Amino acid sequence: MSHIPASDSPPDSPSTQIVASAKAGPGTRLVRALVPALPFIWLLIFFLTPFIIVFKMSLSEPATAQPPYVPVIDWSEGLNGLLDALSQFNFENFTLLTDDWLYAASALSSLRIAAISTILLLLVGFPMAYAMAKAPEKHKPLLLMMVILPFWTSFLIRVYAWIGILKPEGLLNMVLQGIGVIDQPLQILNTDTAIFIGVVYSYLPFMVLPLYATLDKLDWTLLEAAQDLGCPPWRAFWQVTVPLALPGIAAGALLCFIPIVGEYVIPELLGGPDSLMIGKTLSDEFFRNRDWPLASAVAVVLLIIVIGPVMIFRELETRRLEKSR
Amino acid sequence: MTNVRTDARKRDSLAIGAVRRDFAPWLDPAAKPLIRYEAVTKQYSDFVAVNNLTLNIYEREFFCLLGPSGCGKTTLMRMLAGFEEPTAGRILLGDQVVSGIPPYRRPVNMMFQSYALFPHMNVEKNIAFGLVQDGVPKNEIADRVAETLRLVQLTPFARRKPDQLSGGQRQRVALARALIKRPKVLLLDEPLGALDKKLRSETQFELMDLQVNLGMTFLVVTHDQEEAMVMADRVAVMDKGTIKQIAPPGQVYEQPASRYVAEFIGDVNIIEGKIAEVGEHQVRVTRSDGAGTLLIDLQNEPVSVGQEVAVALRPEKLVLHRDLPTDTPNVLSGDIWDIGYLGDWTIYLVQLASGQIVRVSRANSRRFVEQPLTWDDKVHITFASEAGVLLTH
């Protein structure tokens, strides 16, 4: 019985006492301060700390040792050890990144693949989300379920399944040859096309869900109003639906673009030897060359590349909110 | 703000009187209706929204479709706008059959119940939307938008977004957006439904002025009878997809065609009975509760002896007495069961011997009454023979 005490309850009733103690206790105040701090603590432990470690590594030099880089801060030497390590840090790895064309090329290629994939995702996802938002109310939970359903199978297995579909003697080529569309098997696997197929397939829910969330809230009488004022449906789509869906489009595009830039599994499994992606380059540096400092530098650069669009989105979002205020 | 509006009213009132006083094209057999619904039916999978309905609306008329929700009034309007197509029958606008013409090519504009303002456009852009679609030159758009903004007194709010406006201002933006194209017919779906009471009664008069000044035909859908009564030249009372009566507001109130209309419009007391005697001008009705007879004026509809009828009595046409009057044939006696004091009026609920409650309203024309009527007082209700309306169905 923990309801809010009514004003007519006697002064010593248990409920009044509970309220009194909740008001004062110093422990409660600490808990209250902790609640909003929790996400920050989370970010501090699981994002900022690893990033600082990676950044520190990127300023070191590779070495044939365990761990494979120097300097390592020697905490036994106390402050001297820290200062000693700091004095040895340099930005050589970052200058090295600009020297070798490979890194810039893989970064650019990643951005290109991510950009094209995002556009493809938008082209596939928007009609899907639109149809879902327009579907009868009773069918919506089922449609939503179908979009989320692939998550119930391992991502890796789903990407492997595409190998079976796309390979020269795979399902797709068998079907196409069977119905006589082609007589030579298409070489799709190990090309950029395969990467696009894999990426669009894997990231589709991340595009559809935010779009659906926006379109589902859209007031369809606005489209009727547009038509009533002499606007044909296709024009109303561009003048009313798209501007109002913009927050969903931006959210979906970012949600896809950012992880695709750093995507590793899909190009590794479906891409060819010359499909360059920064995630693959990074992994090669870590595991093939065992050059942890350089790999860390690549990771830092990747982060900076990816932060760019996020900042632009945030800027747009704030401007939009300010405008509507 | 309020002063400005009152002044505007004063200026236009002469014109309104001249236009509205003798406006009755529906009485003129030679007059050609602007809108014609010809045996229109709209059938949805599980119910009939509009049932074989025929209706004529004339140019410059302020026409109200009045009825409870689900009576088909909105469907009727949406069929004219082009959002629904009739299952059977046809709709004519002027000489043109509009069926099959998409909404964006019909010369009618609609003000939506929710206003449906574009949230991503400011007031100006919202109002200009219709003209932009038609490819009107830019400078002409600017002029007409400025003029329309003045008309609805929104000039200072031109750059605001809809969510920065009050309900009343949003309503005017919606109105301005719908009338800027000067449509042949302006459709208004519950135009005042979202406004508070005071603003609503102000806006009713503004809408009437606007309609006369612009010389447009207005078709209004409403469930609010006061709104319909105040504004309309003619009211169509609808029920279950059919029209029960089309008449000017006064006629709908004083000469309801059926019990449904009498009960839907205003308050009414229904006394059931049977025709006992048919005279030249009056009939005698035997009350079903056995408490005597009533003398009621004969109406247009013929009645015969023995026929079951209902006598409809408006509360304001009834008079309360403490002592039994002798000079009137129509007396209903009972006790005061409840009293509702409204300031300008007092409502008395009188319980008759049969248990039936009769509602009587009395204007409080005096500030002080020596011996006011109070609960459980014995009273007699009288009324003139012309006050009762004989209803046969």
Side-chain angles (χ1 to χ4, degrees):
Chain A
M1 281 297 172
S2 61
H3 56 78
I4 296 162
S7 55
D8 59 352
S9 57
D12 280 325
S13 75
S15 56
T16 328
Q17 281 168 2
I18 289 165
V19 169
S21 66
K23 228 177 245 169
T28 341
R29 228 176 295 154
L30 187 72
V31 170
R32 277 187 198 164
L34 212 61
V35 170
L38 266 177
F40 292 102
I41 295 169
W42 178 273
L43 283 176
L44 192 75
I45 297 172
F46 294 104
F47 176 74
L48 202 58
T49 315
F51 178 71
I52 288 170
I53 294 170
V54 168
F55 186 62
K56 182 181 80 79
M57 241 186 261
S58 74
L59 301 176
S60 317
E61 267 172 47
T64 323
Q66 192 60 266
Y69 58 89
V70 287
V72 182
I73 298 170
D74 188 358
W75 292 109
S76 60
E77 299 253 334
L79 195 62
N80 281 338
L82 180 67
L83 288 175
D84 188 39
L86 280 179
S87 65
Q88 288 185 48
F89 283 147
N90 60 63
F91 285 89
E92 211 168 83
N93 289 312
F94 290 93
T95 43
L96 202 68
L97 288 186
T98 56
D99 286 349
D100 193 338
W101 178 239
L102 171 78
Y103 302 106
S106 58
L108 283 175
S109 169
S110 286
L111 287 174
R112 184 182 65 91
I113 287 175
I116 294 172
S117 304
T118 306
I119 291 165
L120 290 174
L121 278 161
L122 205 55
L123 291 177
V124 178
F126 200 97
M128 268 178 80
Y130 193 89
M132 280 168 69
K134 275 281 204 183
E137 212 55 47
K138 57 176 178 183
H139 294 156
K140 282 181 183 175
L142 181 73
L143 292 170
L144 212 54
M145 190 67 210
M146 282 162 67
V147 172
I148 301 168
L149 204 64
F151 287 131
W152 291 15
T153 319
S154 157
F155 168 69
L156 210 57
I157 289 174
R158 284 183 285 131
V159 177
Y160 266 114
W162 276 105
I163 297 178
I165 296 170
L166 298 177
K167 65 184 173 185
E169 65 279 15
L171 203 61
L172 181 69
N173 279 313
M174 261 165 56
V175 170
L176 288 180
Q177 277 174 307
I179 58 174
V181 180
I182 49 168
D183 35 56
Q184 286 294 311
L186 292 171
Q187 181 57 49
I188 300 175
L189 194 66
N190 303 331
T191 64
D192 281 1
T193 313
I195 297 184
F196 289 131
I197 292 172
V199 165
V200 168
Y201 164 77
S202 304
Y203 286 87
L204 197 56
F206 297 105
M207 182 58 91
V208 169
L209 293 177
L211 280 176
Y212 169 73
T214 321
L215 289 174
D216 195 40
K217 277 184 288 175
L218 193 80
D219 180 4
W220 301 105
T221 51
L222 292 177
L223 295 178
E224 281 191 350
Q227 279 204 51
D228 186 68
L229 292 164
C231 189
W234 60 270
R235 228 192 299 163
F237 176 78
W238 288 109
Q239 295 189 359
V240 178
T241 313
V242 170
L244 290 176
L246 223 47
I249 294 172
L254 271 185
L255 228 46
C256 295
F257 182 82
I258 293 169
I260 295 171
V261 171
E263 182 56 57
Y264 166 69
V265 173
I266 296 170
E268 179 68 22
L269 294 182
L270 303 179
D274 37 85
S275 344
L276 272 179
M277 281 195 83
I278 199 160
K280 238 174 102 181
T281 310
L282 195 148
S283 139
D284 285 349
E285 289 300 339
F286 256 113
F287 300 110
R288 288 214 187 117
N289 296 349
R290 277 185 69 81
D291 190 343
W292 285 24
L294 190 67
S296 302
V298 173
V300 170
V301 168
L302 177 62
L303 184 87
I304 291 164
I305 290 172
V306 163
I307 274 179
V310 179
M311 299 299 269
I312 293 167
F313 175 68
R314 278 203 43 174
E315 179 63 31
L316 286 175
E317 195 67 354
T318 1
R319 222 182 293 165
R320 198 176 60 83
L321 286 174
E322 266 167 13
K323 247 187 179 174
S324 68
R325 201 169 293 139
Chain B
M1 195 85 189
T2 325
N3 283 335
V4 174
R5 281 196 230 163
T6 329
D7 289 350
R9 273 256 302 290
K10 229 175 250 165
R11 196 186 60 228
D12 299 330
S13 58
L14 272 176
I16 287 157
V19 172
R20 293 200 72 153
R21 180 187 259 154
D22 297 315
F23 183 79
W26 52 88
L27 297 176
D28 176 9
K32 214 163 158 275
L34 177 65
I35 305 163
R36 275 180 290 169
Y37 287 87
E38 291 180 352
V40 170
T41 297
K42 177 68 188 180
Q43 170 114 37
Y44 291 106
S45 54
D46 48 348
F47 83 114
V48 182
V50 174
N51 193 358
N52 192 24
L53 183 146
T54 297
L55 170 68
N56 289 333
I57 299 171
Y58 295 86
E59 199 173 347
R60 292 181 161 241
E61 190 172 1
F62 199 127
F63 195 93
C64 268
L65 292 168
L66 177 64
S69 56
C71 71
K73 55 188 195 300
T74 306
T75 309
L76 205 58
M77 172 182 269
R78 288 173 60 84
M79 282 194 286
L80 186 57
F83 299 126
E84 317 270 353
E85 288 293 336
T87 318
R90 56 180 200 164
I91 302 168
L92 286 94
L93 186 63
D95 294 319
Q96 193 184 20
V97 177
V98 294
S99 312
I101 301 177
Y104 52 90
R105 289 222 194 88
R106 294 195 185 193
V108 299
N109 286 129
M110 182 158 167
M111 183 185 148
F112 289 78
Q113 184 176 7
S114 62
Y115 306 149
L117 300 178
F118 303 121
H120 57 300
M121 297 179 193
N122 62 23
V123 169
E124 222 169 30
K125 293 237 170 72
N126 261 288
I127 295 176
F129 190 87
L131 297 180
V132 172
Q133 301 311 318
D134 290 358
V136 176
K138 270 215 171 93
N139 48 349
E140 195 191 330
I141 291 180
D143 290 348
R144 279 171 73 176
V145 168
E147 182 201 328
T148 311
L149 279 169
R150 253 196 315 278
L151 189 70
V152 294
Q153 294 156 25
L154 281 174
T155 311
F157 305 99
R159 304 282 157 136
R160 297 243 188 125
K161 287 274 183 76
D163 58 3
Q164 298 166 307
L165 299 174
S166 72
Q169 289 163 345
R170 274 207 288 275
Q171 190 257 3
R172 284 147 187 256
V173 178
L175 184 64
R177 189 181 69 176
L179 58 74
I180 196 165
K181 288 176 79 172
R182 297 289 144 90
K184 277 192 182 167
V185 185
L186 186 64
L187 309 173
L188 301 104
D189 188 2
E190 304 273 1
L192 311 176
L195 304 182
D196 61 61
K197 200 175 154 94
K198 200 156 185 179
L199 193 57
R200 197 184 315 162
S201 65
E202 251 175 61
T203 315
Q204 282 168 3
F205 286 101
E206 282 180 11
L207 268 183
M208 288 157 68
D209 294 359
L210 206 64
Q211 188 257 347
V212 168
N213 289 331
L214 297 175
M216 269 189 215
T217 309
F218 275 29
L219 175 57
V220 176
V221 155
T222 179
H223 69 276
D224 185 297
Q225 44 145 319
E226 187 196 305
E227 205 169 295
M229 302 280 274
V230 171
M231 298 193 295
D233 288 312
R234 279 194 306 162
V235 176
V237 181
M238 288 189 68
D239 180 42
K240 297 190 190 107
T242 58
I243 289 180
K244 294 291 177 187
Q245 187 171 10
I246 308 177
Q251 204 177 330
V252 170
Y253 187 80
E254 301 294 2
Q255 299 167 47
S258 65
R259 202 164 153 167
Y260 175 84
V261 176
E263 283 176 337
F264 188 78
I265 307 276
D267 293 314
V268 75
N269 301 296
I270 301 282
I271 310 282
E272 315 249 7
K274 221 178 232 177
I275 304 275
E277 200 184 327
V278 181
E280 198 183 335
H281 299 296
Q282 292 172 321
V283 292
R284 188 164 289 283
V285 178
T286 313
R287 285 165 61 183
S288 315
D289 59 9
T293 61
L294 301 173
L295 198 65
I296 306 295
D297 279 6
L298 198 53
Q299 271 115 52
N300 298 334
E301 224 174 321
V303 286
S304 52
V305 174
Q307 191 178 354
E308 301 259 358
V309 290
V311 178
L313 296 165
R314 296 291 183 190
E316 75 281 1
K317 309 246 174 2
L318 305 179
V319 188
L320 282 177
H321 304 270
R322 268 184 200 285
D323 307 309
L324 185 65
T326 49
D327 56 340
T328 167
N330 297 323
V331 180
L332 306 168
S333 301
D335 306 310
I336 293 187
W337 186 66
D338 218 339
I339 301 174
Y341 177 74
L342 303 178
D344 48 355
W345 292 86
T346 301
I347 310 286
Y348 296 92
L349 299 182
V350 177
Q351 187 166 37
L352 306 184
S354 62
Q356 187 183 356
I357 303 283
V358 174
R359 199 181 167 100
V360 182
S361 61
R362 189 144 89 155
N364 294 324
S365 46
R366 291 170 152 202
R367 290 181 63 204
F368 302 105
V369 179
E370 241 172 63
Q371 235 193 324
L373 290 167
T374 181
W375 279 264
D376 296 334
D377 278 0
K378 234 183 165 25
V379 288
H380 306 282
I381 302 166
T382 65
F383 56 93
S385 63
E386 56 93 27
V389 181
L390 273 186
L391 299 172
T392 51
H393 54 269

